[in-house]
Amino acid sequence: MAVDIAFWILAAIAVVSAVAVVTLRDVFRAAIFLILCFFTTAGIFVTLNADFLAAMQVLVYIGAVAILLIFAILFTRDVQQGNPSNKLKVPAAIVGVVLLGVMVSSAVTFGWPESVYLPELADTADIGQRLFSENGYVVPVQIAGLMLLAAAIGAIVLMREK
Amino acid sequence: MSYYLIAPQITVAGFAVAVIMLDLFVKQKRLLPIVSVVGLLGGLGASIALWGQTETGFTNVLSVDRLAIFFSVIFCGAAALVVLASRDYVRNNFSRFEGEYYALIMLSVVGMMFLAAARDLIAIYVSLELVGISLYILAAFGRDGKSSEAGLKYLLLGGVASAVLIYGMAVVFGITGQTSLAGIYQAVAAAGLGLDNGMLLLGVVFIIAGFGFKIASIPFQMWVPDVYEGAPTTVTAFLSVASKAAGFVVLIRIFLEAFGQDLAIVSGWAMIFAVLAVLSMTIGNVAAIVQTNIKRMLGYSSIAQAGYLMVGLAAVSKTIGAGVTDPEVLFGPTGLLFYIGCYGFANLGVFIAVIAISNKIKSDSIADYAGIGHRAPVIALAMSICLVSLIGLPPAAGFLAKFYLFNTAVHHGLTWLVVIAVLNTAISAYYYFRVVKVAWFGTSTSQEAVPSGWGLRFALGISVAGVLVLFFYPSGVLDIARSAAEAVSGIALSAP
């Protein structure tokens, strides 16, 4: 029961902060709300017994992604003019609301299957086994490594003097 | 240990790293495209060597079956032709980053080959991102603002498409509790779900939307004209063939392996593809008519071609999977595979000719192609043959590909779809022939010949030869395509 209450509070904060990210004019404030959104998501992971995932969420998203984002904002001029609006605001809002309605209504009416297993106490060794054993996801992990290589090459190429 | 199964990917990835290293230490930059082509041909050879092996390997994450090998050959072959054709273009336009250019093409090929073999949503997504990131960077490779715009647009819209795709995958995972395609097949069948279930429909539609972006189907095509125009022509050539084929292989695999449970589901998603096919063909062809830039025109043409290709996914009117022995089930996918082969040769041929001509005249405007037939008769002839193949007229492979595909669709009761497709073929003849007409009957202000390197001429020759050989001797490739299509449904038959 306490977990349920915690979930709803965290979920409400997450949704409100996500809306703030897209509506605020000031990019810096939007970034701060993005951090809040990441943080509440980590909290939701904790309520689901996914401790490791919660720690990763904090380390990767708040520790790396959000900080990088704030640095990028610091290095960019004209931040106050950020988050521009455009002529398609109204149609976009209508499409967005309709899509949200369809998604929420079908998600609420759907009888989601409940897992019959108790949540595993995922320790790091267990996750390591899943990721790196031959019967696990060793190939996707390697592909992610190649992806980083491609991204690193891209950073070098795009940062050149034109 | 079954690491030999990913030998093609390891070969190409190894050569990609080798090219970067060589670029650092070797003064002779003309070695780089040669090493790249050797690596890609190595990957192609290793793929062919795996044909017919039965081990699937890496438990449900990868399956190196004939479908995967068929597409690996297409990816490596297309990339090798593009590398051969881009030697002069690269030296003229971005000589400082030759090594990076070739390495990124090869890395995206690695991603595509993994994509062709992946049968787990996680592996599919990670491979897709490897392909995506390499291509975003390649699109922004040019030195002008248009190329940067193309790269940024491709990145942003690609990011949105990825987000939609992963949302769809998350929904499917939430419903079934499985990430492997075979597991999804089982779980959906066990729960007795159909596409009348809102949540499953949502997941399927989102997955189609995510890959619709890759294959450039309407209404997920908004990036195509700008990216095709802005990106370096060599990259556009690669995008239009390899990236599209990569999108189709995943669609074939996901829908044949994971969503073939009963007739209701199959005819449900087949109808989605039929509607998308009509939209893509019609809008793509009509929009192509008014284009004045040849790269934009070919962009819209590739949207229309995606429409024809989707006829192959729509022409499935029977259950797929357990206990199915009717070979008719596979005619649609077989036609699709054959069409991709023909389209690949023809489209690469046109683009390679465009690369050669734009190297000389420094313009992509169709009006500037006037009289190019007299300045470069061989290149213009090759381009004309490939354009005829894209229309679907004999004596080019496109004719047989369309004939086979449309015949299959009629067989599956999709006569209305075929009527629309044939009307569209007639529309497309107008703008394809306009280029041919301008090239041969226009008058040029200059009489200078169009120079071309040996690599480009060789690549162009291979493309034209492919277009003609597939017309005169189609049976061999059709057999291979059929056996590739059998492999993917065979996996579904023996799903655990």
Side-chain angles (χ1 to χ4, degrees), chain A residues 47-62:
Chain A
T47 65
L48 295 171
N49 278 9
D51 302 352
F52 184 81
L53 214 54
M56 279 299 123
Q57 171 83 10
V58 173
L59 280 177
V60 174
Y61 278 91
I62 302 173

Side-chain angles (χ1 to χ4, degrees), chain B residues 203-229:
Chain B
V204 166
V205 167
F206 278 5
I207 287 177
I208 294 179
F211 288 109
F213 175 85
K214 274 273 161 232
I215 62 173
S217 148
I218 298 238
F220 318 107
Q221 89 304 349
M222 42 315 204
W223 59 280
V224 171
D226 292 334
V227 173
Y228 272 48
E229 185 190 353

Side-chain angles (χ1 to χ4, degrees), chain B residues 137-154:
Chain B
I137 300 161
L138 284 170
F141 233 87
R143 270 180 300 189
D144 52 344
K146 265 194 172 170
S147 178
S148 305
E149 184 200 330
L152 193 63
K153 221 167 217 172
Y154 195 24

Side-chain angles (χ1 to χ4, degrees), chain B residues 125-182:
Chain B
Y125 182 73
V126 180
S127 320
L128 188 77
E129 286 299 293
L130 172 57
V131 177
I133 286 180
S134 314
L135 292 179
Y136 304 148
I137 300 161
L138 284 170
F141 233 87
R143 270 180 300 189
D144 52 344
K146 265 194 172 170
S147 178
S148 305
E149 184 200 330
L152 193 63
K153 221 167 217 172
Y154 195 24
L155 170 74
L156 290 177
L157 292 171
V160 174
S162 282
V164 171
L165 173 70
I166 202 146
Y167 198 89
M169 286 179 169
V171 168
V172 170
F173 173 72
I175 295 170
T176 60
Q178 302 282 342
T179 56
S180 79
L181 298 181

Side-chain angles (χ1 to χ4, degrees), chain A residues 110 113 134 137 153-154 160 162, chain B residues 1 97 141-142 148 175 179 197:
Chain A
F110 183 70
E134 207 177 320
Y137 289 99
I153 296 173
R160 79 218 147 156
K162 293 233 173 185
Chain B
M1 296 293 272
F97 291 100
F141 233 87
S148 305
I175 295 170
T179 56
N197 180 296

Side-chain angles (χ1 to χ4, degrees), chain B residues 22-47:
Chain B
L22 269 180
D23 191 24
L24 286 177
F25 297 114
V26 177
K27 284 267 181 299
Q28 288 283 347
K29 300 295 181 204
R30 62 187 172 154
L31 267 178
L32 298 177
I34 296 172
V35 174
S36 311
V37 169
V38 168
L40 288 165
L41 290 182
L44 194 148
S47 299

Side-chain angles (χ1 to χ4, degrees), chain A residues 102-103 106-107 110 112-113 134-137 139-140 143-144 146-147 149-151 153-154 156-158 160-162, chain B residues 1-2 20 58-59 61 97 100 110 114 120 126-127 129-130 133 137 141-142 148 167 174-175 179 197 199 202:
Chain A
V102 170
M103 275 159 47
S106 42
F110 183 70
W112 293 95
E134 207 177 320
N135 295 327
Y137 289 99
V139 172
I143 300 172
L146 286 174
M147 198 165 89
L149 175 64
I153 296 173
I156 294 167
V157 172
L158 298 180
R160 79 218 147 156
E161 290 168 36
K162 293 233 173 185
Chain B
M1 296 293 272
S2 44
I20 301 175
F58 300 103
T59 46
V61 175
F97 291 100
E100 285 81 356
V110 174
F114 274 122
D120 180 284
V126 180
S127 320
E129 286 299 293
L130 172 57
I133 286 180
I137 300 161
F141 233 87
S148 305
Y167 198 89
I175 295 170
T179 56
N197 180 296
M199 217 55 214
L202 199 70

